[in-house]
Amino acid sequence: MSKLHPSGSEMDLGRPNIEEYLTEAIHEPIRDKLLLRDLLDISPALTEAAGAIIDDSFTRCFKSNPPEPWNWNVYLFPLWCLGVVIRYGILFPARVVILAAGWVVFLSSFIPVHFLLKGHDKLRRKLERVLVELMCSVFVASWTGVVKYHGPRPSMRPKQVFVANHTSMIDFIILEQMTAFAVIMQKHPGWVGLLQSTILESVGCIWFNRSEAKDRETVTKKLREHIQGVDNNPLLIFPEGTCVNNDYTVMFKKGAFELGCTVCPIAIKYNKIFVDAFWNSKKQSFTMHLLRLMTSWAVVCDVWYLEPQSLKPGETPIEFAERVRDIITVRAGLKKVPWDGYLKYSRPSPKITERKQQIFAESVLRRLEEK
């Protein structure tokens, strides 16, 4: 009963607090009005703040994370300098020689095969497939690539498509050295575009232009035709549609999951101890990206060929895509986020975002000073 009926001393102790509360309550409407007015005044800034928070969550998927500096004292700095000399003075020239020799062997073999075996399509495709795999192996060797493959090697069968998470264009090279995939890829300018339109088309690769809406229908038609061919190379798609920094996976596009065929997931995880393999195409050309890899110690990664998946009864292509993304995310130890990777190409520049964040911070500081 004592808990329900406080003693007189407890009531005496509480009386000043009650009187103080009643006194403050008289002025509460005025305070509420002032608080409401301040919130209305600052609402645009709050909107900008929310946008900045969301934007920060999104940009984490597309940011390179530089390693922590370790050459900060007199003992480690000489070792770091020795490493620079070895990487740039010994490894890099040796890798350039390997890459140049590989190109000489490849071109001297590919050109005759491509033009002299026009009437023997089956033999020509087989030899071109072997040569493309060889050239991709040369590229991996030029990075001192250490790649560990897990699971059965992909086979050539109709009505199947392979999907993988995407960190860089080197994903394609690493997968291609084991199996000559026909990949779906954005059309690139420069020497990469030249390779796409000449050499890589020989293995059945399909190109598209992201800015052309009509390309979607054309690509979808080509995809459906490709998966029906018994002799066609396995089809490889990166359903994220853009390079992500190998810490996250963004939304998978549903195109690969509405073809009515078996989907074979591939998980790729890079070890960042020697180099970060993420290609930030907004800040770096692919040529500079390759140079960074060739001047690193090594490119180390694991590739898992996972169990094939099929559309379940009552499951939509979007749900199917999310289920496959979950499988890849878990196997590669990545984090799943709900963003559409294509927003990367339409979002404002970092300078504009930083300016908006600065304006918001200044408005908050002004409010605090007025108080």
Side-chain angles (χ1 to χ4, degrees), residues 40-285:
L40 290 175
D41 288 344
I42 203 173
S43 59
L46 290 175
T47 302
E48 293 292 339
I53 293 171
I54 293 173
D55 183 72
D56 182 67
S57 173
F58 177 77
T59 55
R60 281 201 301 265
C61 303
F62 308 103
K63 282 185 176 180
S64 300
N65 298 315
E68 292 292 332
W70 57 271
N71 57 341
W72 49 271
N73 63 25
V74 68
Y75 305 106
L76 296 176
F77 186 73
L79 294 177
W80 177 81
C81 291
L82 178 62
V84 171
V85 171
I86 293 174
R87 287 189 292 115
Y88 286 86
I90 300 176
L91 292 180
F92 179 62
R95 290 166 175 173
V96 170
V97 170
I98 291 172
L99 189 60
W103 273 114
V104 170
V105 173
F106 173 77
L107 292 175
S108 62
S109 304
F110 184 86
I111 293 174
V113 167
H114 185 73
F115 290 102
L116 299 180
L117 295 178
K118 286 288 188 180
H120 304 81
D121 290 342
K122 189 172 183 180
L123 177 61
R124 178 172 59 85
R125 284 198 299 268
K126 183 177 181 180
L127 292 176
E128 287 176 344
R129 186 183 304 130
V130 172
L131 289 172
V132 169
E133 290 176 359
L134 173 64
M135 192 62 220
C136 289
S137 298
V138 171
F139 267 107
V140 175
S142 71
W143 316 321
T144 315
V146 181
V147 185
K148 188 173 182 180
Y149 297 91
H150 310 265
R153 182 174 176 173
S155 58
M156 293 175 57
R157 289 182 295 180
K159 294 189 177 181
Q160 68 172 358
V161 58
F162 291 81
V163 298
N165 57 303
H166 197 23
T167 306
S168 167
M169 274 208 296
I170 71 168
D171 301 337
F172 164 71
I173 297 175
I174 287 173
L175 296 177
E176 196 80 2
Q177 74 163 347
M178 282 290 289
T179 304
F181 286 104
V183 71
I184 313 302
M185 189 184 295
Q186 162 76 17
K187 185 69 175 178
H188 290 272
W191 66 271
V192 177
L194 179 62
L195 294 181
Q196 287 178 321
S197 59
T198 54
I199 296 171
L200 293 181
E201 281 194 356
S202 64
V203 292
C205 295
I206 301 172
W207 317 118
F208 67 90
N209 191 339
R210 187 174 284 110
S211 61
E212 295 290 338
K214 62 181 181 181
D215 276 9
R216 298 177 185 176
E217 296 180 2
T218 305
V219 168
T220 302
K221 182 180 178 181
K222 289 182 179 180
L223 292 180
R224 295 187 182 278
E225 292 174 353
H226 187 95
I227 62 175
Q228 301 297 329
V230 178
D231 295 329
N232 290 338
N233 293 322
L235 186 63
L236 174 64
I237 299 177
F238 298 106
E240 289 173 299
T242 187
C243 296
V244 187
N245 64 6
N246 210 226
D247 289 325
Y248 301 87
T249 57
V250 298
M251 185 189 304
F252 278 14
K253 302 294 182 294
K254 66 177 182 177
F257 304 90
E258 55 185 5
L259 297 175
C261 61
T262 302
V263 175
C264 306
I266 301 176
I268 306 173
K269 180 63 177 179
Y270 291 93
N271 190 327
K272 298 182 181 180
I273 190 171
F274 295 116
V275 67
D276 185 0
F278 170 57
W279 177 37
N280 190 341
S281 58
K282 279 196 167 185
K283 294 185 177 181
Q284 190 179 50
S285 67

Side-chain angles (χ1 to χ4, degrees), residues 315-328:
E315 189 177 40
T316 66
I318 295 177
E319 293 170 340
F320 187 21
E322 285 301 298
R323 179 162 61 86
V324 172
R325 179 160 77 117
D326 288 339
I327 294 172
I328 293 175

